[in-house]
Amino acid sequence: KTQLTPLSSELPCLSLSTMSMHRMVPVPEALETVLTETAKSLWFGSGSASTQVSVSTSSSDLLVGQISAADIRVPSPGYPTYNSSIMDGYAVKTSDLVEMKRLYDNMDEKERGDFRMEFVLEGKVFAGDINTASISCDDNNGSSNGVYPTAVYVTTGAVVPNEYDAVIPVEDTTQETEKGHKCIIDDKVASVLATTKPWTWIRPIGCDIAADSIVLSKGETIQPVHMALLAQCGVDQIQVNYLPRVGILSTGNELLPSTNTDQCQNGKIPDANRPLLLSQLNTYGNCKPHDLGIISDDDSIEMLSDKLKNGLWDDGIDVIISTGGISMGEKDNMEQVFVEGMGGKIHFGRMNMKPGKPTTFITIDKEGSNGNICRKLVFALPGNPVSASVCTELLVRPCLDLLNQGVETSEVVNSLDEQVFIRHAVDNASVHDELMATLTKDVKLDKGRPEYHRVSLQRAQTPHDKLQYSYHATSTGVQRSSRVLSLRSADGLMMLPRGGPLGCGQDVAKKGQAYPVLLYQSSSYAMRCGTRFSESMHRRMLETKVKVETSEKLHLGIVVCTSEKEEASGRLDKVRTILMDSLGGEDHVELVNRVVCDMEASYDAIAQRLNEAVCGPEMDNANVIVVVVLGKSGQESNPLPFRTGLDVSHVLRQMTTKHADAMAMRLRKAAASEDALAALFENSVGLVRNASSVLISCSDRGLGEAGTVVRSSLNHLVAMLKK
């Protein structure tokens, strides 16, 4: 069963001796607060995107993984910048071949046997030769009297001289004659004359990359392929988004910087937090981590405040992550340091989760010389390494993504309102990719708080279709917050609800039940479909009151669009099976109806037929309607009827309301991960039938992955529509 339970329970947070002054907030609420305050810091700074810095393209190790701050266009004339030979061979003028072909076509068989296709060799051009203007040969032979056409020997990648417009491969020629001429092999003459056209075996100027085309878009993450493209285009400097500087600080008298086991006695332990978090932040690629060392519990608040102020304001640290000293102990004084000593403001001081309950988020604002507010962000995390790592993953990583990526303001360009900017930034912030995974073993639920359980993932074939996959999750073992081994093989964090009568009503998450998993960035199973906070399962768990036993069943209607109606019946069964399996199987999906819609018609007729199929009585009981465009049978290399796909997408766009474009893009990317041709289809997601049904359109290519990626979202949408 799909497990989607609310994380909004608020419970008092008790220590041994007193009650914390901070309420315990759900993790999705904490994340929304972090993103909101991070967006404010961007608003204070520039009101738009992240600060930009210039980086040399020769520094590939510094560039890869960073975000381009501007579109990079190819200068004229494009690439290549000259006509380049694709083969080793002989450059010729196709105008010389026209007369040869006319003569050859009018010859009888005997005359053709005696015919010789002969050229005078005018010179040689090798790859890398720059000057081709003075090509000549020591022995011109008959070229001066115009009897023979001329040719130039060229190697692969060499410049083809301007007056030559085709290359005959060297394999089609003989050795030089006594006159120094080149001849075409006798039995190749007919094919050479027939196939040698202008630009044969030549890469014309700008054919690989046209002038003014974009090779790197603003906001795009720089990959190794971009380094090659920038080199080809002659770009030596580019603007990238600023990488925020993050300081990592450990606290505690028990910590030692050394791992020498002789010193780790009598209450001393090695500081595992700093190497863990410094390495973890390095994998994100969205910041520059800095080691701020270890501070003692015995240092005064004033001394600690002064030290940290220097790091924040003098050394340019943007974000501080401290570990330890934030709970209810006698020497836990980091909250006082950040608030009383540095003028910080606490936004939350406890989170309703395991591990990481004492996590505290603070902002420190200071007015700059130009009158603008400069904001620093502080994450005061628990001292146990697992808690620190998990909370860094849950809160710090999305925060740094937003700081690094900035906010795309094109959609709010007409509004200078701070609240509009912040809401836009938060809703569109990048967060963890998610998937549903089925437990392989029972897991005991915590009766006090929801748990972010470390799990490893395995991909498994579905029983009905060996080409479709689901995911199985296995606990990494004992989840104690000090046990770093629980992180070792983790692919993600499974969101388990609070157990017991005050939670989800059960004490154990049972084998075979499915729960959402937040994927680690380095997970090999991550689909990287660009999950936004506003659409994430994580956020919806805060808003939707859904218990384990009460997940809404999907009532599925299928509309198949095809130009081969008489042949579609057999393929309908396959479409039905794939959709039923990918959306959860017969336990979660009931087929209401399926309709075949003939697309062999005009646009207006297609529009009428789709409207009747989607809005007609056949779909009265459907809360999810999937429109599938079938490719033509027997055309595996080009199965998608492109024009039909465009017509269907355009018609459905007019029929739907509340378009979920980001979900449609995730669906498209997921389908393309199974079959690249699925990327040609323009998917749609929205509401139809007076907002009583969800409509999805897709092609039959990648249909299984498409259904899988929207499965959990559909369950929530349908539950909300019912309300």
Side-chain angles (χ1 to χ4, degrees), residues 560-568 571 574 598-601 628-645 675 677 681 699-701:
V560 175
C561 301
T562 177
S563 57
E564 301 175 330
K565 188 173 181 180
E566 66 281 0
E567 300 176 14
R571 301 172 70 187
K574 184 177 181 181
D598 188 2
M599 294 290 104
E600 199 67 41
V628 182
V629 178
L630 287 187
K632 292 186 177 180
S633 57
Q635 296 188 16
E636 293 299 317
S637 62
N638 185 23
L640 189 63
F642 187 69
R643 183 69 246 177
T644 299
D675 189 319
L677 286 172
F681 189 86
S699 74
D700 59 341
R701 290 285 170 163

Side-chain angles (χ1 to χ4, degrees), residues 506-717:
Q506 60 185 56
D507 296 331
V508 175
K510 296 181 180 179
K511 175 183 177 180
Q513 291 181 331
Y515 293 87
V517 176
L518 303 178
L519 297 171
Y520 279 135
Q521 189 178 41
S522 58
S523 170
S524 59
Y525 299 99
M527 291 178 286
R528 306 306 305 160
C529 292
T531 305
R532 297 181 181 184
F533 180 62
S534 61
E535 300 159 349
S536 64
M537 286 188 283
H538 200 187
R539 184 184 190 183
R540 287 194 300 275
M541 292 177 73
L542 177 64
E543 302 170 344
T544 309
K545 309 289 185 181
V546 183
K547 286 197 172 183
V548 175
E549 301 86 353
T550 59
S551 126
E552 182 70 11
K553 196 164 190 176
L554 301 182
H555 298 281
L556 177 65
I558 303 174
V559 178
V560 175
C561 301
T562 177
S563 57
E564 301 175 330
K565 188 173 181 180
E566 66 281 0
E567 300 176 14
S569 56
R571 301 172 70 187
L572 254 179
D573 289 335
K574 184 177 181 181
V575 168
R576 181 194 67 82
T577 300
I578 292 174
L579 283 175
M580 292 285 287
D581 288 344
S582 62
L583 294 177
E586 293 181 355
D587 290 339
H588 301 283
V589 185
E590 177 183 340
L591 181 63
V592 172
N593 211 336
R594 49 183 181 178
V595 178
V596 177
C597 195
D598 188 2
M599 294 290 104
E600 199 67 41
S602 66
Y603 176 84
D604 290 340
I606 289 175
Q608 181 179 349
R609 290 170 184 175
L610 280 173
N611 188 67
E612 292 172 352
V614 171
C615 300
E618 293 92 343
M619 298 296 166
D620 277 350
N621 297 317
N623 53 23
V624 175
I625 301 171
V626 181
V627 178
V628 182
V629 178
L630 287 187
K632 292 186 177 180
S633 57
Q635 296 188 16
E636 293 299 317
S637 62
N638 185 23
L640 189 63
F642 187 69
R643 183 69 246 177
T644 299
L646 287 178
D647 288 344
V648 170
S649 297
H650 188 265
V651 170
L652 295 178
R653 185 79 179 180
Q654 309 304 312
M655 294 169 55
T656 53
T657 60
K658 296 187 178 181
H659 306 113
D661 293 334
M663 188 184 297
M665 180 57 71
R666 284 200 296 136
L667 186 149
R668 186 177 186 181
K669 289 181 178 179
S673 70
E674 179 182 334
D675 189 319
L677 286 172
L680 297 175
F681 189 86
E682 193 72 30
N683 301 89
S684 297
V685 180
L687 301 183
V688 292
R689 301 177 66 91
N690 295 321
S692 64
S693 302
V694 181
L695 183 136
I696 297 173
S697 69
C698 48
S699 74
D700 59 341
R701 290 285 170 163
L703 187 57
E705 279 297 312
T708 300
V709 80
V710 298
R711 169 182 167 183
S712 57
S713 302
L714 284 178
N715 283 316
H716 282 286
L717 285 173

